[in-house]
Amino acid sequence: MKKDRMILRTPLPDRLCHWAMVVCFFLVAMSGLSWVFPSLNWLNGVFGTPQMARVLHPFFGIVVFLALVYLFVRFVKYNLFVKEDRIWADNVKSVIAGDHSKPLRIGKYNAGQKFLFWGIMTLISVLLLTGLTIWRAYFAHLFPIPVLRIALLLHAVAGVGLILLIIGHIYLAFWVKGSIRGMVTGYVSHAWARTHHDRWHQEISNKNAENKAKIKGTR
């Protein structure tokens, strides 16, 4: 389809940030898992050597955090919960079954995506704070051993939790046909938007109609 017949869902800067974060998160997650689960020790080779993994893991983790801060600023206004989210929650079984016959008044993101958004932001904040605490090269010497032990435990739990959320995010992206294309090209079809985000599609359509009316009025 031609872009002029589609809807811009994700601008280029946001997509570039998202995919750069994906690469960094993969490296950080794999190296992190290699330390949490001894049977996955071979994963610390993602940075070349185990020694390099120890050095680069925290730096790449900070890059992931900064990327998420950027995306938070860009998308937080779309992820605030509104009363209409209750409609989606009450019909979640129908949504999972692929039944989109009933108008659910979904904005740019549905209630499930909003929960995922806030879950990811919460866990990455925990990972940053605990990661800085246990960063041996710079900050670990400032804290007593009991604090470091608690920070290590929280860091591991938050890390595994974040990985699980991301896996869920990836699964849903493939499950909802058209979502991956939307994040690659930035555009989605009107039919896709109308089916999965009906209120957002209506808002976009109304805005486009208003812009066209203004253009005609200036001629």
Side-chain angles (χ1 to χ4, degrees), residues 1-210:
M1 293 184 179
K2 294 182 179 180
K3 288 185 178 180
D4 59 354
R5 296 180 182 177
M6 302 185 76
I7 301 174
L8 176 62
R9 181 166 174 81
T10 310
L12 179 60
D14 300 339
R15 300 200 311 274
L16 291 176
C17 180
H18 172 271
W19 291 115
M21 182 194 64
V22 167
V23 174
C24 292
F25 179 78
F26 173 80
L27 296 173
V28 172
M30 293 302 99
S31 57
L33 285 174
S34 72
W35 301 321
V36 175
F37 302 103
S39 59
L40 299 177
N41 185 62
W42 54 275
L43 288 176
N44 60 26
V46 294
F47 283 112
T49 65
Q51 293 76 18
M52 286 302 296
R54 289 286 181 183
V55 173
L56 296 178
H57 176 91
F59 287 104
F60 274 73
I62 290 177
V63 172
V64 172
F65 175 79
L66 293 176
L68 281 172
V69 168
Y70 170 82
L71 294 176
F72 177 85
V73 172
R74 293 286 293 163
F75 297 131
V76 64
K77 63 182 178 181
Y78 303 115
N79 283 280
L80 299 175
F81 289 97
V82 296
K83 290 182 178 179
E84 290 170 306
D85 289 327
R86 182 64 182 270
I87 302 175
W88 183 92
D90 290 340
N91 293 273
V92 66
K93 290 184 179 180
S94 298
V95 174
I96 294 175
D99 180 7
H100 303 286
S101 58
K102 182 179 179 180
L104 299 180
R105 301 294 298 160
I106 301 172
K108 190 169 185 178
Y109 300 106
N110 61 46
Q113 291 171 310
K114 292 178 181 181
F115 276 115
L116 185 68
F117 175 87
W118 290 106
I120 289 174
M121 293 305 170
T122 299
L123 290 177
I124 195 63
S125 298
V126 173
L127 285 169
L128 176 73
L129 294 175
T130 56
L132 291 175
T133 301
I134 63 178
W135 198 348
R136 184 171 299 177
Y138 300 101
F139 306 109
H141 65 280
L142 301 175
F143 301 94
I145 296 299
V147 172
L148 294 178
R149 288 174 176 170
I150 294 174
L152 277 167
L153 176 61
L154 291 176
H155 195 76
V157 172
V160 172
L162 183 57
I163 290 172
L164 292 175
L165 285 183
I166 296 300
I167 290 175
H169 172 65
I170 294 171
Y171 174 78
L172 292 174
F174 280 101
W175 181 60
V176 180
K177 186 178 180 181
S179 297
I180 296 295
R181 182 181 63 183
M183 186 50 74
V184 172
T185 67
Y187 290 85
V188 294
S189 67
H190 281 271
W192 185 93
R194 191 164 45 245
T195 299
H196 301 289
H197 301 273
D198 51 346
R199 178 163 56 86
W200 176 66
H201 178 264
Q202 184 180 11
E203 292 170 354
I204 294 295
S205 299
N206 292 342
K207 185 176 181 180
N208 290 338
E210 290 176 2

